[in-house]
Amino acid sequence: MRWDPTDPAQRRARYAILAGMWAFFFAIFEIPELALLLGALGLYWGISSLRTKPKEAAPTGASAAPAVSPASPSEAPVPASPTPAPAAVPVRSMRTAAISGLVASSVALMIVAVGFTMQLVYQDFYECRDDALTHAGELASTTSCRSRCARASECGSSSGLGYGGGGEDSHAAGR
């Protein structure tokens, strides 16, 4: 028995790896809405697959019945050779698929989170640059954003050295 589609743990492990893989691709190709959705689903399915016990395999008719040798019908039936636990193979592959789905989903969610954070942090710069009418205005927005960042970091630090160079000029202006 390799894969049982009726086993919810195995099905969720497969869903987790597929959702995590696609979430990663969508995060890389900058489609954060789908990456966020699939990453969250992959995380949920991976965790629920790892928490769920796999379904026990029912013995099949061939392995449950004792084997009888057709050459000598008078001898007592010889029981079939013991088979390895049928649930051992799917549990290992199920766990691997679930953990791989968890990792891929987590990476995709981190990529989306970094993208959203970068948009939030640099929102003023991009608005200033996009609203500039000339190339000189674009360059001015870069320096004005740097000086705003320098003033913000000076207020919070005791060294006085900010992003834009800080130093003595900014201290003299503050006196």
Side-chain angles (χ1 to χ4, degrees):
M1 179 177 108
R2 295 192 65 75
W3 180 59
D4 183 14
T6 61
D7 186 4
Q10 289 183 24
R11 190 173 53 239
R12 287 179 184 155
R14 291 252 176 158
Y15 289 166
I17 195 167
L18 286 172
M21 177 183 64
W22 281 105
F24 180 75
F25 287 141
F26 284 129
I28 291 295
F29 294 127
E30 296 179 7
I31 306 174
E33 296 84 9
L34 287 175
L36 197 59
L37 173 70
L38 289 173
L41 282 173
L43 207 61
Y44 169 74
W45 282 326
I47 291 170
S48 66
S49 174
L50 288 174
R51 293 185 57 159
T52 305
K53 300 286 183 212
K55 190 171 87 172
E56 293 296 324
T60 60
S63 64
V68 177
S69 172
S72 57
S74 62
E75 292 181 11
V78 178
S81 63
T83 58
V89 174
V91 168
R92 185 173 177 193
S93 63
M94 178 192 72
R95 186 174 297 136
T96 303
I99 291 172
S100 299
L102 275 174
V103 169
S105 297
S106 299
V107 169
L109 289 174
M110 284 190 285
I111 291 172
V112 171
V114 166
F116 284 154
T117 303
M118 295 299 282
Q119 285 179 359
L120 184 67
V121 169
Y122 291 109
Q123 181 179 10
D124 293 336
F125 168 72
Y126 288 119
E127 283 180 7
C128 181
R129 190 188 69 181
D130 291 341
D131 291 343
L133 298 176
T134 62
H135 184 66
E138 222 176 285
L139 295 176
S141 68
T142 304
T143 56
S144 69
C145 284
R146 282 187 185 162
S147 64
R148 272 190 271 150
C149 290
R151 280 182 269 147
S153 65
E154 270 180 24
C155 294
S157 68
S158 60
S159 66
L161 295 176
Y163 178 73
E168 296 176 18
D169 295 334
S170 59
H171 283 301
R175 288 186 194 162

